[in-house]
Amino acid sequence: MSAPIPYSQYDPTSHLLLTPEDGEAPARVVRLRELGLGDTPVPEFDDFARELARVTGAPYAMVNFIDENRQYFAGLYTPGEDQAGVELGPAPRQEQPGRVMARDHGYCPHVIVRRKALVLEDVCDYPRFAGNPVVDEIGIRSYLGAPLIDRTGMALGTVCVVDQEPRPWGRQGLETIKSMAAELVAQINRRDPGI
């Protein structure tokens, strides 16, 4: 039996584990630099996020790389892109997410440490995840994400979609996000100067 994963942040009022400790982060930063990723937008990844949003029907999609302190959306799709003239309904509670997010916001840090896809059809059904800042700040209610594990075995980041409404992602959603992650990993591996 393996030892439990230590966690770096606790909610003292509820004793829930919030942000997982990520021992691979320093090595990940080195690997991302080798690949030229993690600190600037990548137009192909924006295109990928757009396609991911289309395939899943989600309003937000991201290609996310994570270091010790932050998350960087090298690929980003938000509501309104490619939708000129379409009525979008009520505005989100706050501005739409930018390219940078604190490491303790969202669910991708959990995916990268777990190295497995994560499906949250309604984050409020999971006390561990319901208290995440993105719930109150952006109104996120559902999440679907998968890790990007490159040819070296390093978990570089994630691909994910989120919605401000609960979503029944189901097995189909899980298979889709995993398949799309594998597709993007193949694209990332082609960037590798070591190949």
Side-chain angles (χ1 to χ4, degrees):
M1 186 165 140
S2 61
I5 296 173
Y7 284 82
S8 61
Q9 183 181 28
Y10 291 88
D11 176 347
T13 61
S14 66
H15 306 291
L16 295 176
L17 307 171
L18 298 179
T19 305
E21 188 172 309
D22 182 1
E24 274 192 344
R28 180 180 313 111
V29 169
V30 170
R31 181 73 177 131
L32 288 170
R33 283 189 187 129
E34 288 173 1
L35 296 169
L37 298 173
D39 57 6
T40 58
V42 177
E44 297 85 8
F45 293 174
D46 284 341
D47 293 342
F48 181 89
R50 180 179 298 108
E51 178 64 10
L52 183 58
R54 187 193 67 75
V55 168
T56 61
Y60 298 92
M62 288 76 96
V63 175
N64 187 8
F65 297 109
I66 302 172
D67 66 23
E68 298 101 329
N69 304 308
R70 69 178 188 146
Q71 303 174 67
Y72 186 81
F73 303 126
L76 178 64
Y77 181 84
T78 61
E81 293 182 28
D82 298 338
Q83 299 174 13
V86 174
E87 184 63 40
L88 298 176
R93 292 180 198 172
Q94 296 238 347
E95 289 187 32
Q96 296 182 3
R99 295 263 179 190
V100 176
M101 184 178 284
R103 199 177 171 286
D104 66 346
H105 284 52
Y107 309 104
C108 291
H110 295 273
V111 171
I112 205 161
V113 170
R114 291 166 30 119
R115 302 173 63 87
K116 296 190 322 187
L118 178 62
V119 179
L120 300 171
E121 295 184 342
D122 185 342
V123 298
C124 294
D125 288 344
Y126 303 89
R128 176 180 183 185
F129 298 117
N132 194 284
V134 296
V135 175
D136 292 332
E137 293 176 18
I138 305 173
I140 300 304
R141 285 292 301 274
S142 61
Y143 172 90
L144 176 65
L148 297 169
I149 301 174
D150 80 345
R151 68 172 186 81
T152 68
M154 175 72 61
L156 300 175
T158 66
V159 294
C160 69
V161 293
V162 296
D163 200 336
Q164 294 172 315
E165 301 293 329
R167 292 286 299 266
W169 303 112
R171 179 164 284 295
Q172 179 63 39
L174 176 62
E175 294 306 318
T176 297
I177 200 77
K178 288 166 60 176
S179 171
M180 296 287 286
E183 184 180 312
L184 189 59
V185 165
Q187 187 176 342
I188 289 168
N189 285 338
R190 288 192 293 274
R191 300 173 66 100
D192 191 343
I195 292 182

